[in-house]
Amino acid sequence: MSFPRNQFGVPQYPDNDARKLFVLLSAIDLLERPTTSAIADLTSHKRESIDHDVMRLREEFGVVLHKVGEIYHIESWGDVIQKDGIKRFLKA
């Protein structure tokens, strides 16, 4: 099943799809200055849902992720998510 992509080629998964969380995590990893606005601009993710989805990444997948001021920082992808696998999957 294919999904539409935004102007940057980022897949637009439904809100209840875990892959949408993986897109968010990948954007935080990719961006030089991952603020809420920058993440939303790149991914077309709703600004008001980013903090909630970051919390889901922590709770559901064990990602260690901090927000210092406006900047998100990934400390660890956790034991469940494999960074390289997610990046390959999203490029397909």
Side-chain angles (χ1 to χ4, degrees):
M1 176 178 221
S2 68
F3 292 89
R5 294 179 179 262
N6 70 8
Q7 70 271 24
F8 300 110
V10 177
Q12 301 299 292
Y13 297 111
D15 288 339
N16 61 346
D17 192 317
R19 292 173 292 184
K20 187 167 186 149
L21 298 176
F22 302 154
V23 166
L24 173 64
L25 186 59
S26 293
I28 293 169
D29 184 61
L30 173 72
L31 290 165
E32 183 175 323
R33 192 169 190 272
T35 63
T36 299
S37 293
I39 294 164
D41 290 346
L42 175 62
T43 64
S44 300
H45 208 101
K46 296 175 193 163
R47 284 174 169 73
E48 59 273 7
S49 69
I50 290 175
D51 281 336
H52 177 264
D53 288 344
V54 164
M55 183 176 58
R56 285 185 60 204
L57 283 164
R58 289 179 185 130
E59 291 176 359
E60 295 176 22
F61 298 100
V63 175
V64 181
L65 183 58
H66 305 285
K67 186 175 183 184
V68 178
E70 297 180 1
I71 309 294
Y72 291 92
H73 171 73
I74 300 169
E75 184 176 318
S76 168
W77 286 64
D79 293 332
V80 176
I81 298 176
Q82 294 182 3
K83 178 179 177 178
D84 293 337
I86 294 292
K87 291 190 173 275
R88 277 193 309 273
F89 174 77
L90 294 174
K91 289 182 182 178

